[in-house]
Amino acid sequence: MRTPVRRQSRARGHCEAVFWRRTNRDEVQRILLAAKRYERIERQPGSRSGPLGSVAIEVLEFFVNLVDYKTGRLEPSIDTLMLRLRRSRDAIVRALKSLRTHGFLDWLRRYEPTGNEGRGPQVKQTSNAYRLSLPERAKRFLGRLGMAPPLPDDHAQALAERMAAVEEHRASLMLDERTLFDVGDNPLGQALARLARSMKQRESARQTESPSGSIINRRE
């Protein structure tokens, strides 16, 4: 049975450059430490777990050891997570959603060509591209460890190059995709993207109206 490509998915190999970012061991370890403290300190009295859950911490530990520091590349499949952590699909999916809800993780859904020729699906869903992050509300649990390290001398140039790459990518997007890029893949962003698609369809319909039909209508 074919699994349909989910909405708002991006083409693999064409969306990650402005999503992934370079990192280092200290940065990802701070994220993990903040998550562990957040899980422990924010746990409600009488609850067996905190707001993230133990499986989410396991997933985050796996990500911290897997991420490519130089590029930020992080793209394990759900099946890989299930196999390495020995957890069910539902447990992994819930853990990922929990990490995203609380600001420790974000991702892009992606698709890739199937290699089929002729009839049949031409693209298929593939693994997400993930990005680790440290939410502001968790930084307070780090104390001095939460302080940003000194910026390298080439930081300004690297930032300028990154911003230029982001703007170039943004300019290449369709209006609805650009809306999601600016606002985010959330209810508001999805609603605005639908509005943008609707406006584009109406404009396209007006442009394809028959000129001869318009003349006839004026004569009538």
Side-chain angles (χ1 to χ4, degrees):
M1 181 177 179
R2 182 174 70 91
T3 302
V5 172
R6 301 186 65 180
R7 295 182 61 183
Q8 313 305 338
S9 294
R10 314 291 180 84
R12 181 175 184 175
H14 298 277
C15 62
E16 301 89 352
V18 297
F19 179 72
W20 283 330
R21 52 178 177 242
R22 295 180 65 177
T23 186
N24 56 63
R25 184 180 183 279
D26 289 342
E27 183 176 0
V28 297
Q29 287 297 329
R30 281 197 298 272
I31 294 173
L32 178 58
L33 178 60
K36 289 181 175 180
R37 292 182 177 179
Y38 181 80
E39 169 72 3
R40 184 181 72 254
I41 297 172
E42 293 294 305
R43 183 175 59 189
Q44 297 298 314
S47 298
R48 297 181 58 185
S49 62
L52 297 175
S54 60
V55 180
I57 298 298
E58 292 176 13
V59 170
L60 193 57
E61 287 178 329
F62 180 71
F63 281 172
V64 162
N65 288 293
L66 184 65
V67 63
D68 185 309
Y69 297 156
K70 185 176 181 179
T71 64
R73 180 179 178 180
L74 185 60
E75 51 183 353
S77 66
I78 299 293
D79 289 340
T80 296
L81 293 170
M82 292 168 57
L83 178 64
R84 297 295 295 273
L85 301 179
R86 298 183 180 181
R87 297 288 186 174
S88 69
R89 179 174 294 273
D90 287 345
I92 295 296
V93 170
R94 285 196 302 270
L96 292 171
K97 289 182 177 178
S98 180
L99 289 169
R100 191 182 202 184
T101 297
H102 292 275
F104 291 95
L105 185 69
D106 197 8
W107 65 72
L108 292 177
R109 297 191 185 109
R110 303 183 299 172
Y111 65 83
E112 63 182 358
T114 61
N116 294 340
E117 297 182 0
R119 299 182 61 183
Q122 304 301 308
V123 295
K124 62 181 179 180
Q125 200 77 41
T126 189
S127 64
N128 294 333
Y130 295 99
R131 182 177 65 196
L132 302 175
S133 59
L134 177 59
E136 288 294 328
R137 56 186 169 182
K139 282 185 179 180
R140 59 191 177 96
F141 299 129
L142 290 176
R144 292 181 60 84
L145 290 175
M147 299 174 62
L151 298 176
D153 295 337
D154 61 349
H155 173 74
Q157 179 180 351
L159 179 60
E161 292 175 353
R162 175 173 173 78
M163 293 302 295
V166 169
E167 186 56 33
E168 181 180 357
H169 173 72
R170 182 180 180 277
S172 70
L173 299 175
M174 302 296 289
L175 181 57
D176 56 335
E177 295 176 331
R178 193 181 310 157
T179 301
L180 285 171
F181 184 82
D182 291 340
V183 181
D185 189 2
N186 51 48
L188 175 60
Q190 293 170 8
L192 292 174
R194 288 194 295 270
L195 177 61
R197 284 194 293 270
S198 177
M199 293 172 59
K200 178 182 177 182
Q201 290 170 356
R202 288 199 296 269
E203 180 64 24
S204 177
R206 285 197 295 268
Q207 292 177 356
T208 55
E209 287 180 353
S210 170
S212 60
S214 300
I215 296 174
I216 293 174
N217 290 336
R218 286 200 298 270
R219 289 177 177 176
E220 291 177 351

